[in-house]
Amino acid sequence: MTMIDASPVRRGQEQKRSAILTAARELFVEVGVERSSMDAVSARAGVSKRTVYDYYGDKRRLLLGVVENAGETAVSTLRELAEKHLPDAIALDAHGGLHRAVSAFAAELGGFLATSTNYAAAIKLISENESLLPELEDHPLDRAHADVLAERFAHFASAGLLELDDPGLAAEHFHALTTLRVLNEPARRRTDAERVRQIMTDGADAFLRAYGRQAE
């Protein structure tokens, strides 16, 4: 019996989904969610309106899809940066190595925040349409962000490089001192890469002063 390779079909589906999300994100940012029509989304994406409805059902769920897609990309980027800058081996390099690694991690994460149009669009859309997105309250993606850092911080604590009882709380504090400070900046300043880098590295320093193991 001949097996049928379904991968071209799956690739086609993902390409259509990506095109729909990109078109919707651009239109929602340009003219607003209310003034964007499913016809306009389908036309920009180069697919039929029926395809848009088949994938997302209605405009509200399409908006949620745009935001969730940005969140998934952000989590993926966070994992990649954690693996790059905060590997297990850093424990062998003691406190100076940890400080350099956390600062580099924060700086590169800030670069992502300053340059990702997808992420910036999601932040704008959430702020303007929060009432349409009740699913975002206690969303699993929020937990996923914290879990990436909590796992790393727990490892460094077990290696004697950090002093903490609750890795999840420490992750929330790191987020508050870095990413949330960037997001609280005026929109025009969030694209200033140097300012964002400074905010992120200052936050990383404050985090390490609070949680770094004190010299005996």
Side-chain angles (χ1 to χ4, degrees), residues 79-129:
R79 287 198 183 101
E80 291 173 3
L81 295 180
E83 290 172 4
K84 175 182 177 181
H85 294 291
L86 306 174
D88 290 353
I90 196 67
L92 302 177
D93 196 15
H95 298 281
L98 180 64
H99 188 280
R100 289 190 298 272
V102 173
S103 294
F105 168 77
E108 193 164 351
L109 180 59
F112 167 77
L113 297 176
T115 61
S116 173
T117 55
N118 191 15
Y119 190 77
I123 296 302
K124 174 179 171 63
L125 293 173
I126 290 170
S127 66
E128 294 176 349
N129 303 279

Side-chain angles (χ1 to χ4, degrees), residues 7-203:
S7 59
V9 174
R10 288 195 294 270
R11 286 197 296 270
Q13 290 172 341
E14 287 307 308
Q15 288 170 353
K16 287 181 180 179
R17 188 182 302 276
S18 178
I20 291 168
L21 290 174
T22 298
R25 183 187 73 234
E26 292 173 351
L27 281 167
F28 291 164
V29 170
E30 289 170 12
V31 302
V33 174
E34 186 175 346
R35 295 178 62 187
S36 299
S37 68
M38 297 295 259
D39 283 318
V41 171
S42 65
R44 183 171 293 203
V47 301
S48 69
K49 185 166 72 171
R50 174 61 182 272
T51 298
V52 177
Y53 278 106
D54 284 346
Y55 276 77
Y56 290 101
D58 57 37
K59 190 163 60 173
R60 192 196 72 79
R61 280 180 282 182
L62 178 55
L63 171 63
L64 179 62
V66 168
V67 171
E68 287 181 328
N69 177 255
E72 289 163 3
T73 300
V75 171
S76 178
T77 298
L78 190 67
R79 287 198 183 101
E80 291 173 3
L81 295 180
E83 290 172 4
K84 175 182 177 181
H85 294 291
L86 306 174
D88 290 353
I90 196 67
L92 302 177
D93 196 15
H95 298 281
L98 180 64
H99 188 280
R100 289 190 298 272
V102 173
S103 294
F105 168 77
E108 193 164 351
L109 180 59
F112 167 77
L113 297 176
T115 61
S116 173
T117 55
N118 191 15
Y119 190 77
I123 296 302
K124 174 179 171 63
L125 293 173
I126 290 170
S127 66
E128 294 176 349
N129 303 279
E130 189 173 1
S131 63
L132 297 177
L133 301 168
E135 294 91 342
L136 295 185
E137 186 172 350
D138 296 322
H139 196 284
L141 282 171
D142 283 342
R143 188 69 259 158
H145 279 82
D147 286 347
V148 171
L149 292 179
E151 188 275 333
R152 292 288 78 212
F153 293 158
H155 169 75
F156 296 139
S158 67
L161 298 176
L162 295 177
E163 289 187 342
L164 53 88
D165 297 319
D166 186 340
L169 180 60
E172 291 178 10
H173 286 163
F174 184 88
H175 182 60
L177 289 165
T178 56
T179 305
L180 283 184
R181 280 198 60 211
V182 171
L183 296 180
N184 285 332
E185 288 283 288
R188 59 186 171 78
R189 292 183 178 177
R190 291 200 297 268
T191 58
D192 182 339
E194 181 55 32
R195 180 174 178 82
V196 169
R197 188 200 67 79
Q198 191 64 56
I199 290 172
M200 296 294 288
T201 54
D202 286 349

